[in-house]
Amino acid sequence: MNDVLSIINSISTALPDSTTVAAAFGGKKLYDDFASPTIKEAGVLGAKIFKALTFSADLWSQKRIDKLNTLQDEVAENLKDFPEERIVDVAPDYIVGPAINAYMYSMSNQELKSMYSKLISKSLLKENTTIIHPAMTYIIQNLMPTEALLLKYLYLTKKASIPLMKTAWRAKEDAQGYITSLKDIYIQPHQSEIKEDNSEIEFSDFIKGSPATISNLVRLGILEISYIEFLTDNKHYEPIEQLPEYVSDKEYCESKNLIFVPEKGVAKITALGSDFMKVCIE
C-alpha cells in the first residue's frame, strides 16, 4: 500500500508547473476522484497507469492551448488589414467549428496549418459567404504536405493545369492491343522558400510527382484529368520527357523491339479547386 501511495503522491511533482487539475488537487486527491474502479483494484500497476495517463493528458491539453494561441495569432495576422465592418459578428459554425477541430489534430506542417488558418480567416469576412464551401475543411484534412505544396505552386504561378503524360508499348503500329506502362507522369516542386526581400516565393528542386497525388486531387474534386485535351506547345512536356523514369521506360520498350507510344494529357483545375485555392492559399 505504501508503494501505491508513494506513486500517487508523486503525480503532482512529476507533472509540469502548467498542470491544471493535478496542481490544484494534488496527486492523491486526483486519484481518489478520477481513477476508475479497475485502476484502483490494480494496485501499483493501476497507480502507474493512472500517473502515466494523467501526465500525457496534461501535456496534450497544453499542446492544444498552444495550437489555439498560434491559430489566433495567424488569423489576426491574416485579417489585420481589413476594416472591422467587413468582419462578421458571428462566425459560420459549419466552417469554423470543423476547421478549428481539424487544425488542432493536424500534422505539424506549415503548408497545411496555413491553409486552415486562411480558411478560418476568410470565413470571417462577409464577402466570402458564397465562395466558401464546407467541403474545404475535408479537402485540407485529406492533403499530404507535398500535395499542399503543389496546389500552392499552381496558384501562385497562375497555372490553370498540370501537363501529364502516360506511356504504352505496342507490338506493331496497327496492333489493337497495347501494354500500359507509366501513368499520369508530371513534375512538381519539392521545396519552396521566400526570397530575401520577401517579394515572392520561389519553388525549386522539381521532381517526378506521385500519380497517387493526381488521383487524390481528382477524388477531392480539385483536378480533372483529360488525355483528349493537351497543351499544344511541347515545351510544357519536355521536362517530363527528360525524367530518368521516362527515358528508362522508353529505352526498355525499344530494347524489346516494341513500339513506344507516349500520350500527352492535362490535369485541369476545377471550379471547386479554383475557389479552394483562392480561399486557402491566397
Side-chain angles (χ1 to χ4, degrees):
M1 185 65 179
N2 289 335
D3 290 337
V4 176
L5 288 176
S6 64
I7 292 172
I8 295 171
N9 289 328
S10 70
I11 294 175
S12 298
T13 56
L15 292 173
D17 293 339
S18 60
T19 306
T20 54
V21 179
F25 296 102
K28 188 175 185 308
K29 175 64 174 173
L30 186 66
Y31 182 87
D32 290 340
D33 289 349
F34 296 105
S36 70
T38 301
I39 285 292
K40 290 179 179 178
E41 289 179 9
V44 173
L45 174 62
K48 285 187 175 181
I49 293 171
F50 181 78
K51 174 185 173 182
L53 292 180
T54 304
F55 182 70
S56 298
D58 184 77
L59 291 180
W60 176 75
S61 298
Q62 185 59 50
K63 286 181 179 180
R64 285 176 60 84
I65 292 172
D66 293 342
K67 274 194 171 186
L68 183 58
N69 288 337
T70 300
L71 176 59
Q72 291 178 75
D73 293 343
E74 290 178 5
V75 172
E77 177 66 22
N78 292 337
L79 297 178
K80 68 179 182 180
D81 296 326
F82 290 89
E84 184 181 342
E85 60 270 15
R86 290 177 62 182
I87 300 175
V88 298
D89 294 325
V90 180
D93 57 351
Y94 61 92
I95 297 291
V96 175
I100 291 176
N101 188 57
Y103 179 94
M104 292 300 187
Y105 288 97
S106 66
M107 62 181 76
S108 297
N109 174 266
Q110 189 53 45
E111 302 287 352
L112 297 175
K113 289 168 64 179
S114 176
M115 283 186 167
Y116 283 121
S117 66
K118 288 185 177 181
L119 171 59
I120 294 169
S121 301
K122 299 289 179 61
S123 70
L124 299 179
L125 295 173
K126 295 177 181 178
E127 62 264 31
N128 291 330
T129 54
T130 59
I131 191 176
I132 294 182
H133 195 282
M136 291 181 180
T137 299
Y138 174 81
I139 290 172
I140 304 174
Q141 285 178 295
N142 285 269
L143 291 179
M144 291 288 290
T146 52
E147 295 167 349
L149 178 61
L150 175 60
L151 295 181
K152 186 176 181 179
Y153 166 72
L154 292 175
Y155 185 79
L156 296 181
T157 57
K158 303 186 185 305
K159 297 184 184 298
S161 60
I162 303 172
L164 294 179
M165 292 190 74
K166 61 181 179 179
T167 66
W169 305 348
R170 283 182 179 163
K172 54 184 179 179
E173 285 288 354
D174 58 351
Q176 295 296 315
Y178 59 89
I179 300 172
T180 299
S181 185
L182 300 178
K183 185 178 180 182
D184 296 341
I185 324 166
Y186 68 101
I187 62 170
Q188 73 166 78
H190 183 62
Q191 295 182 5
S192 68
E193 59 182 0
I194 301 175
K195 286 186 175 181
E196 291 184 1
D197 59 1
N198 292 322
S199 60
E200 60 181 282
I201 295 177
E202 285 187 322
F203 297 92
S204 60
D205 192 13
F206 283 78
I207 59 174
K208 177 181 177 292
S210 169
T213 287
I214 299 297
S215 297
N216 187 45
L217 295 177
V218 169
R219 178 182 71 89
L220 295 173
I222 301 296
L223 297 178
E224 56 186 7
I225 293 176
S226 173
Y227 279 96
I228 298 175
E229 301 176 67
F230 58 90
L231 303 174
T232 55
D233 193 338
N234 193 60
K235 72 177 184 181
H236 297 293
Y237 297 95
E238 289 175 354
I240 300 175
E241 295 170 338
Q242 295 169 5
L243 287 170
E245 295 88 348
Y246 182 94
V247 174
S248 177
D249 186 65
K250 181 179 180 180
E251 291 176 349
Y252 185 79
C253 172
E254 293 174 346
S255 72
K256 299 296 183 182
N257 295 318
L258 299 173
I259 297 172
F260 184 71
V261 185
E263 192 171 351
K264 299 174 184 176
V266 67
K268 299 186 297 182
I269 299 172
T270 64
L272 175 61
S274 179
D275 285 349
F276 174 79
M277 288 188 277
K278 188 179 296 182
V279 169
C280 299
I281 297 175
E282 186 177 69

